[in-house]
Amino acid sequence: DAGVIQSPRHEVTEMGQEVTLRCKPISGHDYLFWYRQTMMRGLELLIYFNNNVPIDDSGMPEDRFSAKMPNASFSTLKIQPSEPRDSAVYFCASSFDSLNQPQHFGDGTRLSIL
Amino acid sequence: GENVEQHPSTLSVQEGDSAVIKCTYSDSASNYFPWYKQELGKRPQLIIDIRSNVGEKKDQRIAVTLNKTAKHFSLHITETQPEDSAVYFCAASSNTGKLIFGQGTTLQVKP
């Protein structure tokens, strides 16, 4: 099993630009989670999906952030327009069943907004 | 709201000593408690987890205990080794599927 696959691994862009982060969950997993990690705020859940449907997006910081899951094997997190304070590591994770099952994390995307 | 407090924030031990990290949670409905290890620049990786119907679980040098009455759980690492050095995160989940993470503990094992 290839695990959760994220791309790109690193992204450096100027403020105001659109940023798209991509995630391929583990095959057969029903849940997909997007997290943001910073030194100041730790690991924050942004949004999660169940069977491609967004369940809870209360962690999405503002309207500049959006996430989609068009099918069971692909999700995107988009920031438009990006700002320097969006710089962080963004992790995608998936789990077979959210009830008492571990979440498996991808390698993350290190995002730097200049 | 849901909250997980983790202590200490940093922990330094000598190789061979034991390390203990403690977490408390606020949501009494939480029933799943995983622990993740994150090495520098890497992804969080599950090292052990416990469910609410179990009080203790052990896997080689790692053990986790759960006290549902007091709403706290702990990670115990025995015979620590330099490769145990990392950031450790506890988390608590409820039936909604969300994982609420603690703030992390940076463990340093000195050779």
Side-chain angles (χ1 to χ4, degrees):
Chain A
D1 194 332
V4 176
I5 299 173
Q6 291 186 246
S7 64
R9 290 295 310 279
H10 304 273
E11 176 88 9
V12 181
T13 192
E14 294 186 345
M15 66 177 294
Q17 297 298 306
E18 178 179 290
V19 173
T20 300
L21 311 182
R22 297 172 176 82
C23 176
K24 176 179 168 55
I26 293 172
S27 178
H29 280 194
D30 304 307
Y31 286 80
L32 183 141
F33 306 82
W34 281 102
Y35 290 90
R36 178 173 67 178
Q37 186 176 37
T38 61
M39 288 294 293
M40 291 297 293
R41 301 174 68 89
L43 264 171
E44 302 174 276
L45 177 65
L46 300 178
I47 185 172
Y48 77 94
F49 297 81
N50 177 25
N51 292 323
N52 313 339
V53 177
I55 303 300
D56 185 343
D57 65 353
S58 60
M60 295 287 261
E62 44 196 281
D63 292 345
R64 298 183 297 106
F65 286 69
S66 63
K68 293 181 180 180
M69 192 166 185
N71 57 62
S73 59
F74 183 65
S75 177
T76 60
L77 178 67
K78 190 170 291 188
I79 309 173
Q80 167 62 21
S82 58
E83 297 183 4
R85 59 196 169 114
D86 302 330
S87 298
V89 180
Y90 291 81
F91 287 104
C92 176
S94 70
S95 69
F96 174 65
D97 181 341
S98 71
L99 300 180
N100 299 342
Q101 294 297 325
Q103 294 180 17
H104 299 270
F105 284 76
D107 288 330
T109 296
R110 183 172 297 276
L111 178 63
S112 297
I113 308 297
L114 306 177
Chain B
E2 300 160 320
N3 187 48
V4 174
E5 295 287 333
Q6 183 172 346
H7 299 280
S9 57
T10 59
L11 180 58
S12 181
V13 299
Q14 287 294 135
E15 182 177 0
D17 287 350
S18 295
V20 180
I21 303 170
K22 299 181 179 181
C23 291
T24 59
Y25 59 98
S26 60
D27 186 355
S28 56
S30 294
N31 53 20
Y32 175 61
F33 308 90
W35 285 87
Y36 287 84
K37 175 184 180 182
Q38 187 176 26
E39 297 178 355
L40 189 63
K42 301 276 185 74
R43 60 188 168 94
Q45 288 192 289
L46 180 78
I47 55 172
I48 195 168
D49 57 8
I50 192 168
R51 293 167 174 80
S52 59
N53 59 344
V54 175
E56 184 173 357
K57 184 177 179 180
K58 189 173 183 180
D59 183 4
Q60 299 182 352
R61 297 186 296 107
I62 295 173
V64 58
T65 59
L66 171 64
N67 183 329
K68 284 219 73 179
T69 302
K71 292 194 282 188
H72 66 70
F73 56 114
S74 301
L75 178 72
H76 304 252
I77 307 174
T78 59
E79 301 172 27
T80 54
Q81 301 166 4
E83 51 265 38
D84 294 330
S85 297
V87 179
Y88 291 81
F89 292 94
C90 64
S93 178
S94 68
N95 286 338
T96 62
K98 291 171 65 171
L99 272 182
I100 308 300
F101 282 86
Q103 297 85 351
T105 296
T106 301
L107 173 64
Q108 181 186 27
V109 180
K110 299 178 181 177

